[in-house]
Amino acid sequence: MGLTVTLIQGGGAGLDQIPAVKEVVAAAGVDVTWDEHFAGWAAIEKGLPALPEAMLASIRKTRVALKTKLLPQPGEVGQVRKETGNLNVMLRRELGLFAAVRPLKNLPGLPARFQGVDMLVIREITEDMYSSIEHEIVPGVVQSIKVVTKAASERFLRFAFDYARLSKRKSIACVHKANILKLADGLFLEAFRAIAKENPEFQTREVIVDNCCMQMVSKPQQFDVLVMGNLYGDLVSDVAAGVVGGVSATHGINVGDGLMVYECFHGGGRDTIPEGRANPLPLILPATDLLHFHGHDEAATRILDAVGKVLTSREALTPDLGGKATTAEVTAAIVRAMG
Ligand code: IPM
Ligand code: MN
């Protein structure tokens, strides 16, 4: 049976990456019906709302989506104190996505600061500092509130342990700052200990977030699965991305109730990435996760092998990887490498 996937284009680099992914998936022989939608800047510039109803309805129907980063209107970023809510976060909220799995692993042929790294950063994505509860109490005094609940932490951690089991992982580290945030991070840590008790087959460890960052850039191979709240997860997953070779090696699997959104969570506007020059790999990787989890494991492996060949031969690489190739040339090289 064919697979129907909601495909979301969020503007900028994504415009190059989407055709690349469609071509590579078709060349791998998988029959996917792409239900294509615009969101973020790609929708706004067409006079549509940033999160069009039709796009949300499509995801609720197909239960599986692949998305590029949703960019805001150009010029909005950096408008201190005036920026509206982040569209990617609003989409997570709208769909009830509660966990983000980020596989961070060396890719064959991709230069990286360290080799032999293969870990999963699993991040809670509904609360913490991303609750967006902020007040200006009096001019010059603001409060940004960190929200942590037992219910969300336990639901997230149950998912993370289950995911670790399915992925045949052995050890799980909880990343926190409970030495300072005794209530908020203390509650998360307590939830971790409780869920760890229900899953005694895992080795568990507790790591304070600053130490985690140092360990990550000194000996990242020690980590298997790391679980943490929203903000630390954002920071640690980017540190880990830097460790394994940058945006080409990062991908995200966002999980809700019976709903999966695979995403490329990096990506710039046309001011930073000229037309036709975007690296397609940041969207090809989550597409292979999608194929892997939806019955097309063989095709996913074929694509990853081809990506490895192209990276190793350095035959066609985009400028961010030190090459001169266009998105279309990299795509063609991957398709050729699939044989
Ligand atoms: C990520 C991104 C997002 C986040 C941004 C785009 C809001 O950096 O998915 O890691 O902070 O979660
Ligand atoms: Mn991030």
Side-chain angles (χ1 to χ4, degrees), residues 317-334:
L317 299 179
T318 44
D320 59 308
L321 291 177
K324 289 200 174 72
T326 61
T327 315
E329 285 163 350
V330 178
T331 309
I334 295 172

Side-chain angles (χ1 to χ4, degrees), residues 69 86 88-89 92 102 123 130 234 263 265:
K69 184 169 169 183
N86 186 285
N88 299 275
V89 174
R92 289 173 194 163
R102 300 192 164 176
R123 160 185 178 197
Y130 281 67
D234 184 40
E263 74 171 348
F265 52 89

Side-chain angles (χ1 to χ4, degrees), residues 41-83:
W41 175 235
I44 301 166
E45 72 175 340
K46 290 178 179 59
L48 296 168
L51 298 179
E53 262 317 312
M55 183 261 312
L56 295 170
S58 170
I59 307 175
R60 292 193 177 107
K61 185 160 172 236
T62 62
R63 317 302 287 174
V64 43
L66 177 67
K67 74 177 266 281
T68 70
K69 184 169 169 183
L70 308 187
L71 300 181
Q73 184 148 355
E76 199 195 329
V77 171
Q79 283 184 28
V80 176
R81 288 185 178 214
K82 290 212 181 94
E83 241 177 86

Side-chain angles (χ1 to χ4, degrees), residues 75-293:
E76 199 195 329
V77 171
Q79 283 184 28
V80 176
R81 288 185 178 214
K82 290 212 181 94
E83 241 177 86
T84 51
N86 186 285
L87 297 169
N88 299 275
V89 174
M90 283 155 73
L91 180 66
R92 289 173 194 163
R93 217 172 268 157
E94 196 61 51
L95 297 171
L97 303 173
F98 64 89
V101 180
R102 300 192 164 176
L104 294 143
K105 181 178 170 178
N106 293 106
L107 289 182
L110 181 69
R113 305 235 165 228
F114 294 89
Q115 291 297 324
V117 179
D118 179 5
M119 61 195 164
L120 298 175
V121 170
I122 310 186
R123 160 185 178 197
E124 199 284 331
I125 53 170
T126 66
E127 49 184 24
D128 189 349
M129 298 304 297
Y130 281 67
S131 303
S132 308
I133 304 174
E134 296 194 303
H135 325 275
E136 179 165 47
I137 299 170
V138 289
V141 182
V142 298
Q143 256 186 344
S144 303
I145 295 181
K146 171 160 180 157
V147 178
V148 178
T149 65
K150 183 168 185 254
S153 304
E154 289 189 351
R155 177 194 198 196
F156 161 74
L157 288 161
R158 277 210 175 87
F159 162 80
F161 274 85
D162 287 347
Y163 193 92
R165 180 175 303 103
L166 280 174
S167 329
K168 304 200 175 4
R169 301 281 173 162
K170 305 234 160 354
S171 87
I172 307 190
C174 178
V175 179
H176 66 90
K177 189 75 185 172
N179 52 337
I180 301 298
L181 294 166
K182 294 188 190 293
L183 287 185
D185 287 21
L187 176 58
F188 188 80
L189 195 54
E190 250 170 41
F192 175 75
R193 289 179 187 165
I195 306 303
K197 268 206 193 111
E198 296 171 5
N199 296 275
E201 73 271 35
F202 288 100
Q203 272 174 30
T204 55
R205 175 178 166 192
E206 295 168 7
V207 194
I208 298 181
V209 62
D210 45 352
N211 180 28
C212 171
C213 292
M214 184 187 61
Q215 300 284 333
M216 187 68 78
V217 297
S218 317
K219 197 173 173 292
Q221 298 87 348
Q222 67 184 287
F223 293 118
D224 189 1
V225 177
L226 300 105
V227 294
M228 64 202 85
N230 210 344
L231 184 61
Y232 307 149
D234 184 40
L235 307 179
V236 171
S237 64
D238 259 28
V239 173
V243 160
V244 295
V247 298
S248 303
T250 59
H251 36 135
I253 306 165
N254 295 333
V255 181
D257 205 2
L259 213 145
M260 310 276 275
V261 177
Y262 298 83
E263 74 171 348
C264 157
F265 52 89
H266 290 110
R270 286 304 187 202
D271 48 334
T272 51
I273 305 169
E275 199 174 326
R277 291 282 167 177
N279 180 350
L281 297 183
L283 193 64
I284 290 180
L285 255 56
T288 63
D289 291 330
L290 189 159
L291 296 177
H292 171 73
F293 284 110

